[in-house]
Amino acid sequence: MDKGTYTFKALSEKYGDFRGPAFSIRVDGKTLNSSEMPIVSLEVELCADGSAGGCRFAVESLYDYEKYRWINDLAKTIRVGAKLEIEAGYVKKETVFFGYVDECSMSYSGGQPPRLEVSGIDGFGYLMSCQEPIYGGKKKPKQIVEEILQKSVAAGYAKRCTVGDLSGFGIPAVKERLDDFKYLKLLAERYCMSLFCVDGELIFDDVIGSDKPLIRLTVGAGLLEFGTRQSLRGQVGSVEIWGRDENQKFIHGAAKSVTVGGGGRSAVQIAGKFKNAALREYSEYVRTEAECVRAAQARLNAIALNFVSGEGLCVGIPELIPGRYVSIVGLDGDTEGSYFVSRVRHSFSQQGYFTHFTVKGAKA
């Protein structure tokens, strides 16, 4: 995952002041450029909320009525299971999606041109079809996660995988009656990790704690719209995790302060009565008090991150990805700040190229 930091000015210089939006779609190595292919619309959606990412586009006006076939054998090129890569940008383009064609449909009508509609999904889609049981035995959780993710890499539907630190968690992994993707989501919740895909990289890691901003967006300078809302629903002042050690003795650990979100005040600091709202859970997957504390802190941070939610719209920026923080400036003091990007949607239409993004925040 890209861990760099960008300025809007530098990106504007790179992309020629964001003029002349362009994209290319590569299907099994064959490139289809926007200048050659009449795309009705193109959308790419990337998620860091435990959902698989995807894309969709539609093609018209590439049908040969005299020969009754698609020009350039388009129907044979774009087929289910074909590797799919999309680049977006302007004078320069960057990869914004990597996966495979998941669905493909054709519609014919006497009153309208034939239409080819395509949807793609990232490497997690392949894991949704892998349903064999897993009995980890003495394998560590990190090894189990890596072996699952590597299935998609071996199939060619992902480029690589990254798994964060799972040291200290040694409970044997067992999977039955679940596909691999659902199982990964359960493990991500168990170990308080994020699960998402960016540019063909399948990521199972703690990215919430890394609040280095990806980019600083200013209203009126690339940032077209932005709005937030605050909600106390589900917010707690502390989290306590209980478990048993190897000798079956009860152990526990707690977290009482939010450690993510940068500056500002948490929900509990704003609404003081919520300081007494506590969450206590029992976990089968901790064996030491240190693990209890770590799990409690991660759980509290994840809950706190739902305090602030918001959406933004900016000019098309290929570098804008989920799983990173963005800094918003140029607004009132309560709205300015650092936000975690949970979803990004790149869209091309007759109006141009725009990037929509959804954010979360633990402090306001």
Side-chain angles (χ1 to χ4, degrees), residues 8-23:
F8 185 79
K9 180 180 179 181
L11 291 177
S12 180
E13 293 175 353
K14 174 182 178 179
Y15 293 124
D17 292 329
F18 303 102
R19 292 193 297 265
F23 64 85

Side-chain angles (χ1 to χ4, degrees), residues 46-157:
L46 309 175
C47 313
D49 57 4
S51 304
C55 68
R56 52 188 173 273
F57 59 91
V59 184
E60 291 181 354
S61 304
L62 276 183
Y63 189 78
D64 189 331
Y65 287 92
E66 294 181 357
K67 298 181 179 180
Y68 300 104
R69 66 179 180 85
W70 287 89
I71 298 173
N72 297 328
D73 289 326
L74 191 63
K76 294 181 180 179
T77 300
I78 302 178
R79 53 182 175 77
V80 292
K83 296 179 185 178
L84 182 61
E85 185 171 6
I86 297 176
E87 293 182 341
Y90 304 85
V91 291
K92 293 184 179 180
K93 293 178 287 187
E94 299 289 345
T95 300
V96 294
F97 178 81
F98 186 90
Y100 64 96
V101 177
D102 182 44
E103 293 183 359
C104 187
S105 63
M106 298 182 187
S107 59
Y108 301 89
S109 171
Q112 296 179 343
R115 185 182 179 96
L116 176 63
E117 296 185 349
V118 182
S119 67
I121 194 169
D122 61 30
F124 289 128
Y126 178 72
L127 299 181
M128 295 176 187
S129 296
C130 298
Q131 303 185 41
E132 66 275 21
I134 294 176
Y135 302 102
K138 295 183 179 180
K139 292 181 180 179
K140 299 294 185 181
K142 182 172 182 175
Q143 183 179 354
I144 296 294
V145 173
E146 288 176 337
E147 289 178 354
I148 293 175
L149 296 177
Q150 281 295 334
K151 293 180 183 180
S152 190
V153 176
Y157 295 144

Side-chain angles (χ1 to χ4, degrees), residues 63-322:
Y63 189 78
D64 189 331
Y65 287 92
E66 294 181 357
K67 298 181 179 180
Y68 300 104
R69 66 179 180 85
W70 287 89
I71 298 173
N72 297 328
D73 289 326
L74 191 63
K76 294 181 180 179
T77 300
I78 302 178
R79 53 182 175 77
V80 292
K83 296 179 185 178
L84 182 61
E85 185 171 6
I86 297 176
E87 293 182 341
Y90 304 85
V91 291
K92 293 184 179 180
K93 293 178 287 187
E94 299 289 345
T95 300
V96 294
F97 178 81
F98 186 90
Y100 64 96
V101 177
D102 182 44
E103 293 183 359
C104 187
S105 63
M106 298 182 187
S107 59
Y108 301 89
S109 171
Q112 296 179 343
R115 185 182 179 96
L116 176 63
E117 296 185 349
V118 182
S119 67
I121 194 169
D122 61 30
F124 289 128
Y126 178 72
L127 299 181
M128 295 176 187
S129 296
C130 298
Q131 303 185 41
E132 66 275 21
I134 294 176
Y135 302 102
K138 295 183 179 180
K139 292 181 180 179
K140 299 294 185 181
K142 182 172 182 175
Q143 183 179 354
I144 296 294
V145 173
E146 288 176 337
E147 289 178 354
I148 293 175
L149 296 177
Q150 281 295 334
K151 293 180 183 180
S152 190
V153 176
Y157 295 144
K159 299 177 183 178
R160 57 194 174 276
C161 64
T162 298
V163 181
D165 180 22
L166 293 176
S167 61
F169 296 104
I171 305 303
V174 177
K175 187 201 82 167
E176 294 178 320
R177 300 181 182 180
L178 281 178
D179 63 62
D180 283 355
F181 182 62
K182 288 182 179 177
Y183 184 56
L184 286 175
K185 291 179 67 174
L186 286 177
L187 292 180
E189 182 178 357
R190 178 186 301 174
Y191 301 125
C192 300
M193 294 287 190
S194 295
L195 178 66
F196 62 107
C197 178
V198 173
D199 187 19
E201 180 182 5
L202 305 179
I203 301 169
F204 186 99
D205 201 357
D206 175 18
V207 296
I208 293 177
S210 303
D211 59 359
K212 180 181 178 182
L214 169 69
I215 188 173
R216 182 178 182 180
L217 294 175
T218 305
V219 175
L223 182 60
L224 307 176
E225 299 176 6
F226 187 75
T228 63
R229 52 192 170 276
Q230 299 175 11
S231 174
L232 288 172
R233 186 174 301 171
Q235 292 298 310
V236 297
S238 63
V239 172
E240 191 172 9
I241 301 294
W242 284 78
R244 291 178 183 268
D245 63 16
E246 295 179 352
N247 298 317
Q248 295 302 301
K249 178 182 177 181
F250 279 111
I251 54 175
H252 68 96
K256 296 183 179 181
S257 61
V258 177
T259 59
V260 296
R265 296 185 297 167
S266 67
V268 173
Q269 290 173 324
I270 294 176
K273 299 294 185 181
F274 276 75
K275 184 177 181 179
N276 297 322
L279 172 65
R280 294 182 177 87
E281 294 182 338
Y282 179 83
S283 174
E284 292 283 355
Y285 309 105
V286 291
R287 287 294 180 266
T288 67
E289 291 195 345
E291 291 176 15
C292 290
V293 172
R294 177 180 172 183
Q297 187 64 67
R299 187 84 167 91
L300 179 61
N301 287 343
I303 292 173
L305 208 60
N306 292 316
F307 172 45
V308 182
S309 59
E311 296 180 356
L313 172 68
C314 64
V315 296
I317 300 178
E319 284 78 4
L320 189 53
I321 58 174

